[in-house]
Amino acid sequence: DGGITQSPKYLFRKEGQNVTLSCEQNLNHDAMYWYRQDPGQGLRLIYYSQIVNDFQKGDIAEGYSVSREKKESFPLTVTSAQKNPTAFYLCASSEGGSGVLYYGYTFGSGTRLTVV
Amino acid sequence: RKEVEQDPGPFNVPEGATVAFNCTYSNSASQSFFWYRQDCRKEPKLLMSVYSSGNEDGRFTAQLNRASQYISLLIRDSKLSDSATYLCVVNFPNTGNQFYFGTGTSLTVIP
């Protein structure tokens, strides 16, 4: 079955540490996205990529970095510069171009990151 | 004004009740609308798209009102399993078709 896989499910980060969240999809989707969800807030876009080797900042990119070396993979690094990283991180993928307007996003099951 | 606004609720309704949620959006050029369902501590899952003429999927009906810039979701004959948070999602063409999410409306169906 096609899907989108995030790992790990839970992640604990010490102060000053960089951590990388994995996101892999086998849906042959062109576009991939990273969102952050905090209690009582809507999903906020961190980074997105419409095509391999290209990505754009979303609304809250500061303290995060991404890469898109393969179509299937879009890892997110939470750097020590991100001052409040504790949140639920969701990766999503979609058809490219106008396809997303018809089919929306498919989400991974998320990673819960906690600073300890 | 927020890009997408929803009443956060919570909505607590008895089994069998009909419940409706509204969602307003700020961009008159938006053309793609969805309702997602999110269970506690899980990822959002697509519930249904919202078409211009309105659409129905079993007990769920979605409507779009372009003039007033809102979409709605109606759930008939509520089941316990409908308890979840319902997210409104709208595209904004002037942002490269980035989708904006509402904060969600919480529904609890009570036995």
Side-chain angles (χ1 to χ4, degrees), chain A residues 27-31 33 50 93-101 103-104:
Chain A
L27 297 166
N28 200 33
H29 282 168
D30 289 313
Y33 313 82
Q50 305 274 24
S93 68
S94 73
E95 300 274 351
S98 60
V100 65
L101 300 179
Y103 302 111

Side-chain angles (χ1 to χ4, degrees), chain B residues 59-71:
Chain B
R59 298 181 293 108
F60 298 84
T61 300
Q63 298 275 0
L64 167 63
N65 184 318
R66 286 193 184 276
S68 300
Q69 292 180 213
Y70 76 83
I71 65 172

Side-chain angles (χ1 to χ4, degrees), chain A residues 37 59 101 104-105 108 112, chain B residues 32 34 36 38 41 43 98:
Chain A
Q37 188 175 36
D59 298 321
L101 300 179
Y105 293 165
R112 289 198 179 274
Chain B
S32 182
F34 299 96
Y36 276 72
Q38 186 173 26
R41 301 180 69 82
E43 76 274 22
Q98 180 179 330

Side-chain angles (χ1 to χ4, degrees), chain A residues 13 18-22 34 46-48 55-58 60-68 74-82 89:
Chain A
R13 192 194 94 168
N18 292 354
V19 292
T20 298
L21 283 57
S22 170
W34 275 105
I46 304 172
Y47 269 99
Y48 65 102
F55 48 83
Q56 283 77 42
K57 293 181 179 180
I60 56 164
E62 185 175 348
Y64 300 98
S65 66
V66 293
S67 63
R68 186 89 186 273
F74 192 40
L76 174 75
T77 296
V78 184
T79 75
S80 57
Q82 171 48 239
Y89 289 87

